[in-house]
Amino acid sequence: MKVLLIGEFSNVHWTLGNALRQQGHEVTVVSDGNNWRQYPCDVRLYRKSNSRLHTIKYIIDILKQLPRWRGYDIVQIINPVLFLELKPERLKKIYDYLRKHNKRIYMGAMGDDHQYIYDSFIRRRLRYCDFYTQQREIDNERNRQAVHEWLYTYKKELCKHVANTCDGIITVLYEYYAAYKEDYPDKSTYIPLPIVINGNTSTSLPDTHPHPIRIFIGMDHRRDELKGTDILYKVAKRLETKYPDRCEIIATESLPYNEYIARMQQCDILLDQIYSYTPAMNALQAMAMGLVTVSGGEEEHYQLILESELRPIINTAPDEEDIYQKLEALILNPERISQLKHESIEYVRRHHDSLKIAEQYIKFWSREA
């Protein structure tokens, strides 16, 4: 197959693209590197700012590429709106061009879009999410802006247009699957996120653990409230103060991907997020390297992937005291860490091997429309 992947979230498309290449397919990945994260890609389209000059240059760069984005068997955009950094009205024209000049086009449900925000904020089928918990509404500027943009602007119209006209929708987390399965039952599917196994997955780990336990947290102040890393960091500092000989906090902010991974590899526990039912790329990469991860691990997620044995993820309620108690139990019982590290690696091998995930994409892309 000849495949074009446009847009990037957390290295998903690059990882998938490399797995497809290993299986003999021709792949082109187009992205901005997910901004400062600097993920690799084949064609980098980067908009430096919203200034008129930079906008014109960015549009010219896209127009130069458009003739090369024709004749593919498969085109997949990472998101119905965020696959390029343009206004939705302009993106619709590009999407329609891609749909016209290629055999099939698919949409990734891999982040915020109209369907997910509507399902989370209006339908409220989940017990908790980044908009609310069972105890409180999460009312902040980010959430107010997200509701306005995805429910009451042209972003809504573009999302609906793409979802209704594309050949299929790939959801990658349980919560995205739950948002799409009712309204698009014949068009949407769930495919786990791809993680590289060979070379990036730990193969041997010690069965005992020395002190101090190193707890890693990557901060991004634009997204801290979204993921709950502000709360996780607060809890971690409480534990470091109470148990200075037992644990050490390693906090980073806005590091490029390679530097971020290098720092994370030196640690034992990753604090990822608290509002999701499902581990995403950051958590899965850490688990593949043998870190114990605080992230989404609800039973609905395990049932979706048909996993009845392994429960390696530290799944917490979105509540400071629950997080504190579960992390404290790990710090006071470090022998559990070794077991959970082994289970984390096995979990990723079973469910997220990028080569197996690529096969699932090929199967879905190849089905009869």
Side-chain angles (χ1 to χ4, degrees):
M1 280 187 175
K2 187 178 180 183
V3 180
L4 175 64
L5 306 175
I6 304 180
E8 187 64 279
F9 291 162
S10 301
N11 216 31
V12 174
H13 268 174
W14 183 252
T15 305
L16 173 62
N18 279 339
L20 291 167
R21 289 186 183 107
Q22 291 182 58
Q23 296 178 357
H25 303 284
E26 181 182 343
V27 183
T28 301
V29 179
V30 177
S31 82
D32 65 355
N34 210 188
N35 210 314
W36 51 264
R37 296 171 183 84
Q38 299 179 25
Y39 296 124
C41 58
D42 299 304
V43 178
R44 189 173 300 276
L45 293 173
Y46 181 66
R47 182 174 177 172
K48 291 184 178 180
S49 75
N50 292 328
S51 72
R52 182 177 177 82
L53 178 61
H54 288 154
T55 299
I56 292 172
K57 183 181 184 305
Y58 183 67
I59 292 173
I60 290 172
D61 289 342
I62 292 173
L63 292 175
K64 288 179 180 178
Q65 290 294 326
L66 278 181
R68 302 171 188 172
W69 297 351
R70 300 167 60 135
Y72 282 86
D73 299 305
I74 300 295
V75 174
Q76 179 168 295
I77 57 176
I78 198 86
N79 178 278
V81 174
L82 305 177
F83 62 100
L84 293 170
E85 197 174 346
L86 291 173
K87 291 180 179 179
E89 293 83 354
R90 288 176 174 153
L91 286 172
K92 181 180 182 298
K93 295 179 181 179
I94 293 175
Y95 167 79
D96 288 340
Y97 177 92
L98 293 168
R99 190 161 65 95
K100 178 180 179 181
H101 294 289
N102 297 281
K103 289 183 180 179
R104 291 191 177 184
I105 187 164
Y106 291 83
M107 184 197 101
M110 305 186 186
D112 282 0
D113 61 25
H114 168 75
Q115 189 72 18
Y116 171 67
I117 299 297
Y118 177 79
D119 197 71
S120 300
F121 188 74
I122 304 297
R123 285 177 173 166
R124 301 200 170 208
R125 72 174 74 238
L126 301 173
R127 293 186 301 280
Y128 63 85
C129 66
D130 40 339
F131 290 99
Y132 60 87
T133 70
Q134 293 176 318
Q135 292 78 33
R136 64 188 176 95
E137 293 291 309
I138 304 176
D139 183 19
N140 54 47
E141 179 60 30
R142 179 263 168 196
N143 282 354
R144 289 191 293 271
Q145 182 177 348
V147 168
H148 171 71
E149 289 185 2
W150 293 107
L151 300 187
Y152 302 108
T153 73
Y154 192 76
K155 282 186 176 183
K156 170 186 174 180
E157 305 307 319
L158 180 55
C159 285
K160 285 183 170 293
H161 175 66
V162 173
N164 289 330
T165 60
C166 70
D167 294 288
I169 301 167
I170 294 93
T171 66
V172 297
L173 303 183
Y174 170 81
E175 38 270 72
Y176 302 149
Y177 172 75
Y180 274 92
K181 67 176 181 178
E182 183 176 308
D183 294 337
Y184 299 91
D186 299 325
K187 182 175 282 192
S188 62
T189 191
Y190 167 78
I191 300 180
L193 290 161
I195 296 294
V196 177
I197 299 299
N198 296 329
N200 288 329
T201 305
S202 297
T203 55
S204 62
L205 294 170
D207 292 324
T208 58
H209 197 277
H211 293 307
I213 295 165
R214 307 189 83 186
I215 301 174
F216 182 83
I217 183 167
M219 308 295 291
D220 178 358
H221 294 308
R222 294 166 296 183
R223 293 168 54 85
D224 285 345
E225 289 182 324
L226 170 64
K227 298 182 66 175
T229 45
D230 52 345
I231 296 173
L232 287 168
Y233 183 74
K234 182 179 178 182
V235 170
K237 293 304 290 184
R238 283 175 59 190
L239 288 165
E240 187 180 47
T241 299
K242 185 174 181 179
Y243 302 105
D245 296 329
R246 287 178 173 265
C247 65
E248 176 186 2
I249 310 304
I250 308 298
T252 67
E253 182 176 354
S254 301
L255 287 181
Y257 177 70
N258 289 337
E259 294 180 38
Y260 179 88
I261 290 296
R263 296 290 295 276
M264 186 164 65
Q265 281 181 315
Q266 302 169 6
C267 298
D268 307 294
I269 297 173
L270 168 73
L271 305 184
D272 181 47
Q273 58 77 38
I274 61 175
Y275 297 122
S276 175
Y277 278 42
T278 318
M281 287 294 282
N282 187 46
L284 293 169
Q285 185 63 66
M287 292 169 70
M289 295 189 299
L291 275 74
V292 180
T293 300
V294 177
S295 190
E298 291 289 353
E299 282 304 308
E300 290 90 338
H301 154 69
Y302 286 117
Q303 290 170 14
L304 181 61
I305 62 174
L306 304 178
E307 176 54 69
S308 59
E309 300 172 350
L310 294 174
R311 295 294 183 274
I313 302 160
I314 305 300
N315 183 57
T316 67
D319 171 78
E320 185 175 328
E321 288 309 311
D322 185 63
I323 299 165
Y324 182 89
Q325 290 172 16
K326 289 177 179 176
L327 274 176
E328 184 179 45
L330 273 183
I331 291 168
L332 296 178
N333 299 278
E335 67 279 1
R336 283 192 63 215
I337 293 177
S338 295
Q339 177 188 349
L340 289 172
K341 284 186 172 188
H342 287 285
E343 290 181 1
S344 295
I345 293 170
E346 178 58 25
Y347 169 91
V348 175
R349 287 186 184 277
R350 284 189 191 182
H351 301 290
H352 296 277
D353 182 339
S354 61
L355 295 177
K356 295 178 182 178
I357 299 305
E359 292 174 358
Q360 292 185 46
Y361 271 91
I362 293 298
K363 183 177 180 180
F364 184 65
W365 289 338
S366 301
R367 68 174 189 164
E368 291 298 322

